[in-house]
Amino acid sequence: MDEKTPVEPEHSVPEVVTVEDVTIRFAGDSGDGMQLTGAQFSDTIASYGNDLGTLPDYPAEIRAPAGSLYGVSGYTIHFSSHEIYTTGDQVDVLVAMNPAALKVNLKDIKKNGIIIVNSDSFERKNLELAGYAENPLKDGSLSGYSVHSIPITKSTLETLKELNLPLKTAQKCKNFFALGVIYWLYNKSPEITLKWISEKFKKSPELVDANIRVLKAGLFFGETAEIFDTRYEVKPAELPKGTYRNLNGNEAVALGLVAAAKKAGVNLFLGSYPITPATEILQFLSGMRNHGVKTFQAEDEIAGIASAIGASFSGSLGITTTSGPGMALKTEAIGLAVMAELPLVVVNVQRGGPSTGLPTKTEQADLLQAVFGRNGECPVAVVAASTPSDCFTMSVEAARLAMKYMTPVILLTDGYIGNGSEPWKVITIEELPEMTAKLNTNPEGFHPYNRDENLVRPWVKPGTPGMEHRIGGLEKQHIYGNISYDPDNHEFMVKTREQKIQNIANDIPELEVVGDKSGKLLVLGWGSTFGAITSAVENQIAKGNKVSAAHLKYLYPMPKNTLEVLKNFDTILIPEVNTGQLAKLIRMNYLVGAVQFNKVKGTPFKAFEIEEKIEEVLKGLGGKK
Amino acid sequence: MSEKAEVKYTAKDYSSGIDVRWCPGCGDFSILAQVQRSFPQLVGVEKEKIVFISGIGCSSRFPYYMNTYGFHTIHGRAAAIASGVKTANPDLSVWMATGDGDCLSIGGNHFVHLLRRNIDINVLLFNNRIYGLTKGQNSPTSEHGKVTKSTPLGNIEYPVNPIAMAIGVEGTFIARAMDVDTKHLQALIQRAHQHKGTSFIEILQNCVIFNDGAFDNYTLKAHREDRVVYLEHGQPMVFGKEKDKAIKLDGFTPVLIDLKDGKHSVNDALVYNEKSKELAYIISQFSDNSAMPLPVGVFVDLDYSTFEDDMTNQIAEAKKKYGEGDINSLLRGKSSWEIN
Ligand SMILES: Cc1ncc(C[n+]2csc(CCOP(=O)(O)OP(=O)(O)O)c2C)c(N)n1
Ligand code: SF4
Ligand SMILES: [Mg+2]
């Protein structure tokens, strides 16, 4: 790793302290380039072999008024020399580009944590905008922290003086100064960012020059200003050998679906309508034309799913991606796909609801909607991803099940893992589970609602001679598929459609338990609570407490051994970012009591919150089941 | 045409053979018959390439009666579903059967966007100016003042003019036919098929049960020729049993002229031009204007690239520019690293 050792210090040599794990947050105005800065830092960290998790957090407004509290944009990177599951409970280092960024994030900073501020922005106007009566840098209110005031704007402008850039352009480079300081503080080479800058601003060499100068100035500042007496080192994590990349959940969904379609040998068609936080999936897939992906930005969510159903009817894998309010619009069409028994993947990147709710905040409150939210007896398979990279695995699963069982599959992710990223051990298409699009071309004995041993009807691509047939949303006659109003046939078909979905339980992994297989307490989760639950339970086990964890990735149907797992524990604790939706399902399905632990604040659980709850439950103070 | 020799099918081949369940005398029967009669002439289109998509309504039962691929979907969404079918599988000949409520009310949004995208789908709008399947409520094409089950004191909404609407949203093939003029309807079905891009035919369809005689004023044999003008590209707009009436354009204002009054001749008549959206719009305004004849035929037939062709081309271009997508390098991404 020699080539990655940063610039050799020439002056005083601050002590280098090795730490296990660090959480850094870059925060500033939404125009300050904090997302970019954070992404650069995380790419660099990843290349050093640390495990990491990142979480962007940005305002709903595109360009909220500069300096305002609600215009603060942040990017958190948690990295470590061991495996980690969350984006960090508390922040070790906050880089605050203005007073508002300090004010909004102060509550998350660890006691004695490091605060690096751009002191140039702590002037009257910005202090007022942030609601500070006094300058917090001067009034002693930050005495519990290690505060480093750096004139980031002035230093940036000074660095660029001789380039004679327009003032605004020069000021825009200041995020790289901050990044340079952090690279120095964490002993990292700026190599990746230097490359990135050269590529990104290829067309304007003066910007390449300017940004590189500022980045280096930040590094030199760290070295020469002697305001830090310690540097930190986080040793690489012992991750399994292989090729890694950084992946956020939305990108993972896009990749998973493309890969699954390719594996199955079908074309992929996406019908979608932009909605935060799912839009990125549409954008990623729109850029994959050379992979033959067809994307259709529909006039609304109904047309998004309807076009996907049409594509599936015509022999492609139809998928649609959305978030809460869009999901509500799709329900009637999901019913059609259930009746027509066509493959379809519906991705819901959940956000705070109801209605427009909290567009940029995370929530897990669409579980019951996914399982039940349609007219009639309308079963669909429901799966959920638990981490950003698991979005890849579960979107592949959703596609596999949709094609194998000729059914809509709802994949639940959420804003937290959709936007959050982590290293993913790259896999190749050869390593994906086997799947085929069984397009039937044999007219011999063909009937549209004839079923195989799994109760699955045949998929026929229009254009296949001799197999012309009609399907639709009206009740179907068993086997022949003609319209049927026969009462016995209807009941039979209702039960058959349900049984077909239940058969999926034979085709999915069993529910695994982390820790002892039986005992006092099982923490049961689903979706994006995985990281916080896993960290909490591992910490508790390390403390000697008897607690286990299990995580449901298949919500409908659930793994066959679910009841067996639950029965082995005295208490089931279910943390959810909703008011208790999985808890309801568990009680309903298995007549098993559950202690709920709910949080509906638009933010994910922190591991310590779950730990506290675990300790409370272990003391017998869990609250009602 | 010499291609006649290739005709492989008869009308019967297109019949699925199941009982047709419309009310006796319903105009839908005629439309079904004209489709089945004209389809054998869709030269070069194998029967298995044909797909009928419909929404919900009496008219939307149509696919069940056709021995082709068919999908009877949900109310209003046929256009969106058909868009997915054709975009995903451009080899298919995609047809859509829809009612005035299905297409213009609940499905109005999708209809608008289908036309502007110009996906090669042939839309047959069965306009009976009423909700048939739900038993007689007013529809978006019902006349102002009309008494229906849901407007017992008269309809206080104004109707949409489907032709003008289609022009307004950039339709590239827009036509009107009547269920009772079988030959003309057949000819328009052929034209719709030949047009590349979305083809829209508004078919005036009699609902014998809930809106009987809605179009009698124009369509009855006894006076049809005197009250209906057949648009023909490059031909003067002359009509009447005796070919004695014509339309003349006075600035932007169309006027009715009498070719027997000694003051006008056929040379004064407006020569119809289906390449002119402006003209089409002016003529579309004759609908519900009792002083004017009802225009039927092709209002516009314009040449634009289709959505699905543009999509196919983009895919080909992208493959040329970036190479045939390699899935494993896509999975690896642009900045991966090794852990050894
Ligand atoms: C979502 C939904 N809303 C309402 C209905 C009830 N419905 C069925 S057909 C119809 C109107 C049909 O009128 P039109 O489209 O003109 O077709 P027609 O029966 O006249 O051919 C309505 C309101 C439905 N099936 N689905
Ligand atoms: S109700 Fe009207 S439109 Fe429907 S089948 Fe009967 S006659 Fe035809
Ligand atoms: Mg109608």
Side-chain angles (χ1 to χ4, degrees):
Chain A
M1 287 238 176
D2 258 343
E3 73 279 12
K4 283 188 176 159
T5 312
V7 199
E8 277 308 314
E10 288 164 13
H11 307 269
S12 69
V13 183
E15 181 193 7
V16 176
V17 174
T18 301
V19 286
E20 276 273 299
D21 97 24
V22 178
T23 300
I24 298 183
R25 180 174 299 164
F26 295 94
D29 256 333
S30 39
D32 279 344
M34 292 297 98
Q35 301 303 323
L36 191 157
T37 310
Q40 278 306 306
F41 189 69
S42 65
D43 279 356
T44 297
I45 290 301
S47 75
Y48 276 85
N50 291 116
D51 195 11
L52 74 151
T54 71
L55 182 66
D57 179 25
Y58 44 84
E61 292 74 17
I62 303 301
R63 282 281 181 272
S68 65
L69 291 171
Y70 59 91
V72 172
S73 161
Y75 194 104
T76 309
I77 305 112
H78 177 202
F79 62 108
S80 171
S81 52
H82 55 255
E83 201 180 340
I84 52 170
Y85 309 101
T86 70
T87 50
D89 280 2
Q90 284 192 300
V91 173
D92 297 285
V93 182
L94 172 73
V95 177
M97 298 301 278
N98 66 8
L102 175 65
K103 183 146 199 188
V104 168
N105 291 293
L106 195 60
K107 61 178 188 321
D108 295 334
I109 306 173
K110 245 181 218 161
K111 241 171 109 187
N112 301 323
I114 297 174
I115 299 176
I116 297 171
V117 298
N118 176 9
S119 54
D120 295 330
S121 68
F122 281 67
E123 35 69 42
R124 219 196 51 191
K125 183 165 156 250
N126 276 322
L127 289 167
E128 268 172 21
L129 279 168
Y132 278 119
E134 297 289 329
N135 187 344
L137 303 180
K138 294 184 179 151
D139 67 3
S141 62
L142 300 177
S143 58
Y145 306 94
S146 159
V147 181
H148 304 279
S149 295
I150 305 178
I152 294 180
T153 310
K154 277 196 203 108
S155 310
T156 301
L157 296 179
E158 187 62 30
T159 308
L160 299 177
K161 204 168 50 187
E162 59 200 68
L163 297 187
N164 289 322
L165 293 172
L167 182 65
K168 273 218 161 126
T169 310
Q171 277 175 340
K172 276 214 153 146
C173 301
K174 68 179 182 297
N175 56 327
F176 282 110
F177 191 93
L179 183 59
V181 173
I182 295 295
Y183 278 151
W184 179 84
L185 192 60
Y186 283 91
N187 213 8
K188 303 292 181 196
S189 151
E191 197 187 336
I192 286 186
T193 302
L194 292 175
K195 254 214 284 213
W196 182 87
I197 291 174
S198 307
E199 181 61 25
K200 171 85 184 173
F201 300 108
K202 197 159 57 191
K203 294 210 177 96
S204 30
E206 74 280 5
L207 288 185
V208 174
D209 186 23
N211 283 306
I212 287 180
R213 282 184 194 220
V214 173
L215 179 66
K216 288 187 171 163
L219 271 159
F220 295 145
F221 179 90
E223 190 186 323
T224 53
E226 298 184 15
I227 60 169
F228 299 101
D229 44 19
T230 320
R231 295 174 84 182
Y232 301 91
E233 172 78 38
V234 181
K235 293 255 151 47
E238 300 227 335
L239 299 172
K241 274 187 192 170
T243 306
Y244 283 78
R245 66 174 290 184
N246 239 340
L247 197 57
N248 80 29
N250 284 337
E251 200 171 8
V253 166
L255 290 177
L257 293 171
V258 177
K262 197 135 232 167
K263 181 89 181 182
V266 278
N267 292 322
L268 188 69
F269 177 98
L270 168 73
S272 184
Y273 188 77
I275 183 168
T276 303
T279 311
E280 250 187 328
I281 305 174
L282 164 66
Q283 291 173 0
F284 282 131
L285 287 170
S286 303
M288 296 186 191
R289 287 273 198 272
N290 65 325
H291 291 268
V293 176
K294 291 183 180 176
T295 52
F296 179 78
Q297 184 178 319
E299 53 274 19
D300 60 23
E301 282 86 351
I302 299 173
I305 186 170
S307 60
I309 291 172
S312 286
F313 174 68
S314 80
S316 292
L317 173 60
I319 58 173
T320 188
T321 52
T322 192
S323 183
M327 197 64 189
L329 286 175
K330 292 183 193 293
T331 51
E332 188 196 9
I334 295 174
L336 174 67
V338 166
M339 207 62 162
E341 303 193 38
L342 287 168
L344 176 73
V345 176
V346 182
V347 182
N348 178 0
V349 186
Q350 299 164 95
R351 68 189 216 184
S355 188
T356 310
L358 302 171
T360 60
K361 304 291 170 197
T362 198
E363 206 160 280
Q364 296 186 292
D366 300 348
L367 174 60
L368 293 180
Q369 178 198 40
V371 175
F372 300 119
R374 290 163 294 282
N375 61 305
E377 298 289 351
C378 194
V380 303
V382 180
V383 302
S386 48
T387 68
S389 65
D390 192 43
C391 289
F392 179 88
T393 313
M394 293 318 285
S395 61
V396 171
E397 270 297 83
R400 178 182 75 86
L401 295 174
M403 289 185 280
K404 183 161 176 189
Y405 292 88
M406 294 288 283
T407 177
V409 178
I410 296 175
L411 166 62
L412 296 173
T413 76
D414 61 31
Y416 175 44
I417 54 175
N419 289 324
S421 71
E422 64 180 355
W424 174 59
K425 186 161 173 291
V426 174
I427 68 169
T428 61
I429 186 154
E430 292 75 23
E431 297 167 79
L432 290 184
E434 274 317 311
M435 61 187 92
T436 41
K438 273 198 287 178
L439 287 157
N440 194 331
T441 54
N442 180 11
E444 203 70 40
F446 163 73
H447 296 295
Y449 280 75
N450 223 349
R451 296 173 189 276
D452 69 8
E453 66 283 5
N454 287 322
L455 302 179
V456 181
R457 79 170 194 92
W459 192 8
V460 179
K461 187 171 178 158
T464 311
M467 298 177 86
E468 293 88 346
H469 65 277
R470 277 67 53 196
I471 59 171
L474 285 169
E475 183 59 284
K476 300 278 156 297
Q477 183 190 12
H478 176 45
I479 300 176
Y480 304 102
N482 298 323
I483 301 172
S484 168
Y485 300 123
D486 179 74
D488 292 335
N489 178 74
H490 175 55
E491 187 167 293
F492 175 82
M493 291 297 272
V494 163
K495 289 181 174 165
T496 304
R497 285 186 288 264
E498 177 66 45
Q499 188 55 49
K500 179 180 80 168
I501 299 301
Q502 292 304 329
N503 288 347
I504 291 175
N506 299 322
D507 202 0
I508 57 175
E510 296 212 317
L511 181 61
E512 277 177 43
V513 178
V514 175
D516 295 340
K517 304 282 175 271
S518 64
K520 266 191 162 160
L521 178 61
L522 176 77
V523 185
L524 181 69
W526 72 277
S528 70
T529 52
F530 175 81
I533 291 176
T534 309
S535 303
V537 168
E538 284 191 355
N539 290 345
Q540 287 290 310
I541 292 175
K543 279 187 193 165
N545 278 335
K546 287 248 170 279
V547 46
S548 306
H551 210 74
L552 283 164
K553 308 218 300 180
Y554 298 83
L555 280 311
Y556 201 88
M558 289 185 187
K560 281 200 294 192
N561 66 331
T562 306
L563 178 58
E564 220 174 295
V565 166
L566 302 180
K567 274 196 322 207
N568 287 328
F569 292 90
D570 298 344
T571 304
I572 313 294
L573 170 66
I574 304 184
E576 290 180 89
V577 187
N578 61 40
T579 59
Q581 300 196 6
L582 177 63
K584 281 195 179 74
L585 286 179
I586 291 294
R587 292 184 192 119
M588 185 192 83
N589 291 352
Y590 303 111
L591 298 177
V592 165
V595 177
Q596 294 183 198
F597 183 38
N598 304 108
K599 170 171 170 178
V600 210
K601 298 172 191 279
T603 51
F605 274 112
K606 296 190 185 304
F608 81 84
E609 293 169 336
I610 293 177
E611 280 198 65
E612 283 172 6
K613 186 69 188 181
I614 289 172
E615 287 172 4
E616 194 184 307
V617 174
L618 287 175
K619 280 183 207 138
L621 305 169
K624 89 172 198 297
K625 287 190 184 180
Chain B
M1 275 204 262
S2 59
E3 282 134 320
K4 271 256 159 66
E6 286 177 37
V7 171
K8 302 211 286 200
Y9 305 105
T10 65
K12 250 188 106 182
D13 291 323
Y14 289 97
S15 163
S16 67
I18 70 162
D19 294 342
V20 181
R21 297 211 192 172
W22 289 310
C23 308
C26 174
D28 292 357
F29 282 100
S30 168
I31 302 173
L32 177 63
Q34 304 335 311
V35 168
Q36 290 174 343
R37 278 178 202 150
S38 51
F39 269 30
Q41 269 85 60
L42 303 185
V43 176
V45 182
E46 309 292 329
K47 190 162 68 76
E48 64 268 17
K49 291 269 170 70
I50 296 174
V51 177
F52 256 94
I53 308 289
S54 65
I56 297 291
C58 296
S59 39
S60 287
R61 294 294 179 94
F62 198 93
Y64 290 115
Y65 307 132
M66 292 291 296
N67 185 20
T68 62
Y69 284 94
F71 196 178
H72 176 223
T73 70
I74 42 178
H75 199 24
R77 318 302 171 195
I81 289 167
S83 297
V85 171
K86 182 69 184 180
T87 306
N89 196 341
D91 284 349
L92 301 172
S93 171
V94 181
W95 297 74
M96 174 176 143
T98 180
D100 40 322
D102 193 60
C103 183
L104 301 171
S105 185
I106 189 167
N109 191 20
H110 310 308
F111 174 66
V112 161
H113 294 282
L114 169 60
L115 290 186
R116 90 179 161 81
R117 288 191 185 109
N118 201 35
I119 304 175
D120 194 358
I121 292 165
N122 306 305
V123 181
L124 308 179
L125 167 62
F126 295 48
N127 184 7
N128 53 15
R129 307 191 82 166
I130 197 84
Y131 281 9
L133 192 69
T134 46
K135 301 192 167 66
Q137 303 76 26
N138 67 306
S139 93
T141 54
S142 296
E143 307 86 308
H144 189 257
K146 186 188 191 76
V147 172
T148 72
K149 285 207 186 133
S150 55
T151 55
L153 302 182
N155 182 17
I156 53 175
E157 299 176 20
Y158 291 97
V160 64
N161 175 338
I163 299 289
M165 179 178 175
I167 297 167
V169 298
E170 311 296 327
T172 60
F173 180 95
I174 301 165
R176 180 186 283 140
M178 299 168 283
D179 54 1
V180 291
D181 190 344
T182 56
K183 287 274 164 325
H184 185 245
L185 174 54
Q186 288 178 33
L188 289 189
I189 290 169
Q190 290 297 329
R191 290 269 323 255
H193 164 66
Q194 283 152 11
H195 173 75
K196 269 197 76 68
T198 312
S199 305
F200 170 58
I201 311 179
E202 179 199 5
I203 306 170
L204 307 183
Q205 174 247 324
N206 193 36
C207 168
V208 284
I209 305 295
F210 299 111
N211 201 13
D212 194 22
F215 307 104
D216 281 2
N217 197 22
Y218 297 116
T219 59
L220 284 188
K221 258 242 160 91
H223 54 232
R224 191 188 304 161
E225 285 169 274
D226 284 323
R227 299 192 189 168
V228 171
V229 56
Y230 288 80
L231 303 176
E232 282 182 68
H233 185 55
Q235 296 299 317
M237 288 182 66
V238 174
F239 67 105
K241 265 195 202 89
E242 327 251 288
K243 300 275 172 230
D244 55 348
K245 293 189 265 280
I247 307 295
K248 178 182 169 216
L249 206 51
D250 200 353
F252 286 115
T253 313
V255 290
L256 198 57
I257 55 173
D258 181 351
L259 299 184
K260 288 197 309 201
D261 65 0
K263 292 184 223 149
H264 296 97
S265 81
V266 74
N267 295 332
D268 296 314
L270 168 63
V271 173
Y272 195 72
N273 177 3
E274 62 192 25
K275 303 293 170 199
S276 164
K277 283 196 269 188
E278 296 79 1
L279 194 55
Y281 189 79
I282 292 172
I283 303 303
S284 75
Q285 298 305 303
F286 292 10
S287 320
D288 283 336
N289 175 349
S290 56
M292 288 297 193
L294 176 82
V296 300
V298 177
F299 283 76
V300 273
D301 184 354
L302 304 170
D303 241 351
Y304 282 80
S305 66
T306 68
F307 180 85
E308 65 277 15
D309 281 354
D310 286 351
M311 176 79 74
T312 307
N313 291 339
Q314 277 193 352
I315 289 175
E317 286 293 309
K319 286 183 174 173
K320 226 172 26 197
K321 195 161 164 201
Y322 307 108
E324 177 83 38
D326 170 42
I327 187 72
N328 284 338
S329 73
L330 180 73
L331 294 179
R332 210 177 311 117
K334 291 209 179 93
S335 48
S336 59
W337 66 91
E338 299 294 327
I339 290 188
N340 301 310

